[in-house]
Amino acid sequence: MDMELIPAPVSVGDQGRCGFLMDRATSITAQDGTESTERWLRSTIGAAFGLSLPPGAADKDNTILLRIDPALEPEGYRLSTGNGRSVVITGGSPAGVFWGAQTLRQLLGPEAFRRAPVSTGVPARIPVTDIEDRPRFTWRGLMLDVSRHFLPKDDVLRYLDLLAAHKLNVFHFHLTDDQGWRVEIKRFPKLTEVGSWRSRTKHGHRASELWDETPYGGHYTQDDIREIVAYAAEWHIRVVPEIDIPGHSQAAISAYPELGNTDVIDTTTLSVWDTWGVSPNVLAPTDSTLRFFEGVFEELLDLFPAATSPFIHVGGDECLKDQWKESPTAQARIKELGLADEDELQSWFIRHFDRWLTARGRRLIGWDEILEGGLPDGAAVSSWRGYAGGIAAAEAGHDVVMCPEQQVYLDHRQDGGPDEPMPIGYVRTLEDVFRFDPVPPGLTEEAAGHILGTQANVWTEVMQNRSRVDYQVFPRLAAFAEVAWSALPAPADRDFADFERRMTAHYARLDALGVEYRPPGGPLPWQRRPGVLGRPIEGAPPNV
């Protein structure tokens, strides 16, 4: 029997014909520390096959035995069906056990991805096998932008399920931008009362002449955030919240005009931005701005506990310096601090919050622009403009997450055909993503050790709802998951034909989960957006 697993495991032993048959007598025997996987097995696989999976005993047959063996790598696991009378999942940690259970689900077939049985005659059978597996990277992530288009809480929880199903373990939560502030901060209520709503929304790329005139917005309450974080923790997913500073801040300035450069423009006239691109309205480099965002981060640290969120993302990207160049206040601050220019002023801003977060047991991470003007010692970098920023950061001893836009921005179009909806950027096919490697050639061994891993980024300017997000993210996230997890050969030597063959089974799993992916043959009629302008870029993306 071909197992068709995604991502591909390190090794799969000999496969027998019969295997282990789950039935109404099958139980779960969970060692201490594996309780979250036990709950997950009952709520998903149990529900899919109409089985109760009660607690069992380790010395009995017909049980799923969950164990921890610290001799394994923390996220590694072994899955064995032995003689066909039980299933044993052994993980190096509770997370390893959970990833083993995800493999078990795939072994059970697409029916295991449904919420209730579709046929009483379909047996839940697992082939006799021994699987050894462990991840290549410790950071395997997805960044989801909920500022440009808001995804309600239930959709976020669903995406956490989809991450877990692909053994991805980091959820980068882009909560603020020029177009909307999405997290409740109790001491500054106008951030959501004012900053989470825009009067209208551009439909398509910013050059499009189409508008949706419906007021648009939404935010997560603090209890929503706590629920999302707790749910992620159950699935062994770390959450990286992002509050974008000092650029991409027009929504915050519209709510509290004193945060902006009031000596350059009348910030009381600003509203939440209703178009796309990079706003010139950035935070003022004042002490009162620092105190304001310290207050924001104080509440944020309470919502995102250190165990689940050791990293806090501060953005730091695309901060246009024009207002600082014109601002007497900003220029006085540059002179007072003995800085060379506006780049160093941004570095001062980022360094302040690096010290502030470090003192509270967290680590700052930001987009690769935070390298400009100098980077604090403990800060990590999300390398988005290409490989170069990540290479420079790693060679300087900083930890790096590789997410170059030319390779793993899933808002970029999947095909060059005329039917791609609102086509953005370069063509990045399923095969292109499959051949992406987070570690560029030529990196020294020491620098390569600073590559924490990789993430795919999903910017939602042209994704107005869950259906559009699904279309852009899938099936490419399955290829990305294999890149992040599996020990693959060099990009040119990878067996894409084999991956495509395994994807045939995976499409059936995605169908069962209700994922509205892009079909291999192109968009379905209702997935197209004729007449809505995008911004396609022709040719192969540069390797920068």
Side-chain angles (χ1 to χ4, degrees), residues 484-514:
W485 177 278
S486 304
L488 299 175
D493 299 330
R494 294 177 188 173
D495 189 347
F496 181 66
D498 176 70
F499 179 78
E500 272 193 311
R501 181 188 57 75
R502 287 181 283 125
M503 274 303 299
T504 302
H506 203 65
Y507 285 122
R509 297 172 192 138
L510 297 178
D511 286 333
L513 287 167

Side-chain angles (χ1 to χ4, degrees), residues 220-289:
Y220 308 103
T221 68
Q222 294 204 348
D223 280 347
D224 290 339
I225 294 289
R226 291 187 179 98
E227 180 183 356
I228 288 166
V229 170
Y231 194 83
E234 275 281 289
W235 304 161
H236 304 280
I237 294 171
R238 286 176 287 154
V239 182
V240 180
E242 181 182 354
I243 302 294
D244 207 339
I245 55 174
H248 285 289
S249 296
Q250 184 164 326
I253 297 168
S254 74
Y256 292 92
E258 64 272 21
L259 296 173
N261 295 285
T262 56
D263 55 351
V264 176
I265 65 162
D266 180 1
T267 54
T268 63
T269 65
L270 295 177
S271 59
V272 176
W273 218 24
D274 59 12
T275 190
W276 317 128
V278 182
S279 167
N281 297 299
V282 303
L283 298 176
T286 62
D287 289 341
S288 59
T289 298

Side-chain angles (χ1 to χ4, degrees), residues 12 23 52 95 129 139 146 164-165 300 370 411 434 443 477 534 536:
V12 178
D23 57 27
S52 59
T129 188
W139 187 301
V146 294
L300 204 75
I370 68 173
D411 42 304
F434 179 71
L443 211 57
L477 192 70

